[in-house]
């Protein structure tokens, strides 16, 4: 049995550093079985994470399967030019971006248990309808509605998980569900290779069956999810009341704003927009979004242009994504283990730069294909760490909701640029696109370094100005009221930025 300091709603809220309250904190020491705490977290891992992973896998699969459908004959059958195909891909991102911030701000009010499954059912139906389109106009319309409904999912999951896990645990959990993106890249290729053999059944081409089968499966998962998704840890049907209390206590210790009532305020939205570290991370998200979507949407086309058949392309596209799956998990584990975000981002950014450089210099098909085992893992492993970084450093709730949403707005803006980077006539090297990806990967390294330096300095300044910052919130007895956490949020001197 280990004695752990735990915050209770009746006590003033302070912070923990290195596992101990600071000298001005008021705490009640409660005996908490460390094993019981681990069991409670593991139960969350087994009941919440698989659902979020499945949601995001389907989100990415249903959004990116147009790349597999293209290889299976979509572009040829609909008589699309390269420009029209790129328009169809691009149009997905416009409503996708527009939906992200409003949905994150509404997530708490509507409730994740209602909003997330509803989104799944609706977008699954839209994906299914992709299988009956017969023109450019029909495809563009379907893609636009898909983007509108899918947009809330990724930022919503990150915000949702930040209400279940502590800051130092978040990167690994985001990686576990984000790894579904790389897994979907591998799974999508295998699934598409099998489904396209249904060509001619029901008078439909193989690419149409890719959309129909994957869309119907998403609808099914969405219906089941209505009975499984808890809005908060307290709503979980799988946790005992003791475990719910343990989760609540550890969250309050990690994030003091958890215990503070915070009404919605546009001021928190504006404070997020004016936070330097949010702006820096916003720019980093753009570069990462461009490179992630470039791999997700165009890797099958890149591999195909190396000279492989359609079926073989679908199969060998699996390799780089499968490696990315394991590298993403390993990178996030180290990021959480050593409580570092900047260093892993810089390492993986450099890994992708090396991969893109080798692809440019490759003088053989095997060398070009082999470079993808560096660039794809480097690109994918970066995303969950950056996502955790922005969620770690924004408080209170609505400021965090805004920051997370803005990050993914930027990600998908980068995705728009990526859709115009791979015209077929530039294959198989796609020189301009590869250079663009390499430059933005290098930009992630630079951005991480700048953010590291800024946050280190911000932590130091907050420590030095602690009395000054808290003066207006301190009573005659020297106790700080909860208004300090509501108004200062992550600028509170007791909130330590994760670097």
């Amino acid at each position: 049995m280990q004695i752990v300091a735990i915050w209770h709603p009746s006590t003033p809220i302070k912070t923990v550093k290195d596992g101990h309250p600071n000298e001005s904190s008021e705490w009640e020491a409660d005996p908490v079985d460390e094993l019981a705490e681990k069991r409670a977290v593991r139960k969350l891992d087994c009941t919440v994470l698989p659902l979020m992973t499945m949601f995001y896998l389907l989100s990415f699969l249903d959004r990116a399967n147009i790349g597999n459908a293209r290889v299976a004959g979509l572009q040829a059958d609909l008589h699309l030019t390269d420009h029209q195909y790129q328009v169809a891909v691009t149009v997905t991102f416009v409503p996708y971006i527009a939906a992200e911030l409003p949905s994150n701000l509404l997530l708490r009010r509507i409730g994740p248990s209602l909003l997330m499954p509803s989104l799944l059912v609706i977008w699954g139906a839209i994906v299914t309808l992709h299988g009956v389109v017969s023109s450019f106009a029909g495809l563009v319309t379907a893609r636009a509605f898909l983007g509108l409904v899918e947009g809330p999912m990724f930022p919503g999951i990150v915000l949702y998980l930040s209400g279940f896990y502590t800051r130092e645990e978040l990167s690994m959990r985001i990686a576990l569900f984000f790894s579904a993106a790389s897994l979907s890249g591998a799974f999508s290729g295998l699934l598409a290779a099998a489904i396209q053999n249904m060509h001619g059944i029901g008078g439909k081409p193989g690419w149409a069956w890719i959309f129909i089968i994957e869309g119907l499966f998403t609808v099914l998962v969405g219906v089941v999810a209505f009975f499984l998704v808890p809005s908060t840890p307290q709503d979980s049907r799988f946790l005992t009341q003791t475990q719910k209390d343990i989760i609540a206590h550890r969250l309050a210790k990690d994030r003091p704003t958890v215990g503070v009532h915070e009404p919605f305020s546009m001021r928190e939205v504006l404070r997020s927009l004016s936070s330097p570290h949010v702006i820096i991370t916003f720019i980093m998200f753009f570069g990462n979004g461009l490179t992630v979507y470039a791999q997700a949407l165009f890797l099958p086309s890149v591999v195909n242009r190396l000279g492989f058949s359609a079926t073989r392309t679908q199969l060998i596209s699996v390799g780089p994504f499968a490696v990315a799956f394991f590298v993403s998990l390993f990178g996030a584990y180290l990021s959480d283990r050593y409580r570092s975000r900047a260093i892993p981002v810089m390492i993986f950014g450099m890994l992708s730069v090396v991969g893109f450089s080798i692809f440019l210099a490759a003088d053989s098909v095997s060398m070009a294909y082999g470079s993808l085992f560096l660039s794809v893992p480097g690109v994918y492993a970066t995303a969950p760490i950056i996502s955790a970084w922005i969620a770690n450093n924004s408080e209170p709730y609505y400021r965090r909701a805004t920051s997370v949403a803005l990050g993914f707005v930027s990600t998908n803006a980068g995705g728009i640029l990526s859709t115009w980077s791979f015209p077929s006539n530039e294959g198989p090297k796609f020189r301009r696109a590869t250079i663009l990806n390499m430059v933005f990967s290098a930009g992630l390294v630079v951005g991480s370094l700048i953010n590291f330096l800024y946050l280190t300095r911000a932590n130091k300044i907050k420590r030095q100005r602690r009395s000054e910052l808290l003066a207006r919130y301190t009573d005659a007895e020297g106790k700080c009221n909860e208004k300090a956490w509501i108004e200062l949020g992550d600028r509170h001197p007791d909130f330590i930025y994760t670097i």
Side-chain angles (χ1 to χ4, degrees), residues 4-52:
V4 179
I6 290 186
W7 172 83
H8 283 276
S10 60
T11 60
I13 304 169
K14 301 293 179 182
T15 59
V16 174
K17 186 174 182 179
D18 299 326
H20 302 285
N22 61 43
E23 60 184 15
S24 62
S25 301
E26 296 182 31
W27 294 79
E28 292 180 20
D30 282 353
V32 173
D33 188 339
E34 187 175 310
L35 183 59
E37 183 175 352
K38 288 182 178 179
R39 285 174 178 166
V41 175
R42 291 293 172 263
K43 191 172 285 189
L44 285 181
D45 290 342
C46 293
T47 57
V48 173
L49 269 182
L51 288 170
M52 297 303 109

Side-chain angles (χ1 to χ4, degrees), residues 220-258:
L220 176 63
V221 172
V223 171
V224 174
F226 279 109
F227 304 97
L228 298 176
V229 177
S231 287
T232 68
Q234 294 297 316
D235 298 321
S236 173
R237 65 179 64 188
F238 300 104
L239 298 176
T240 66
Q241 188 56 51
T242 300
Q243 289 173 330
K244 292 176 182 179
D245 292 341
I246 289 173
I247 296 298
H249 290 156
R250 66 197 303 273
L251 288 173
K253 185 174 70 171
D254 176 68
R255 260 195 183 96
T257 54
V258 168

Side-chain angles (χ1 to χ4, degrees), residues 178-228:
F178 182 79
S179 62
S182 54
L183 190 61
S184 75
F187 181 63
S188 180
L190 292 172
L191 190 59
I195 295 176
Q196 72 183 26
N197 291 325
M198 296 176 65
H199 181 80
I201 296 177
K204 296 190 178 300
W207 61 262
W209 282 112
I210 292 175
F211 289 125
I212 292 169
I213 290 178
E214 294 179 4
L216 289 175
F217 181 73
T218 298
V219 172
L220 176 63
V221 172
V223 171
V224 174
F226 279 109
F227 304 97
L228 298 176

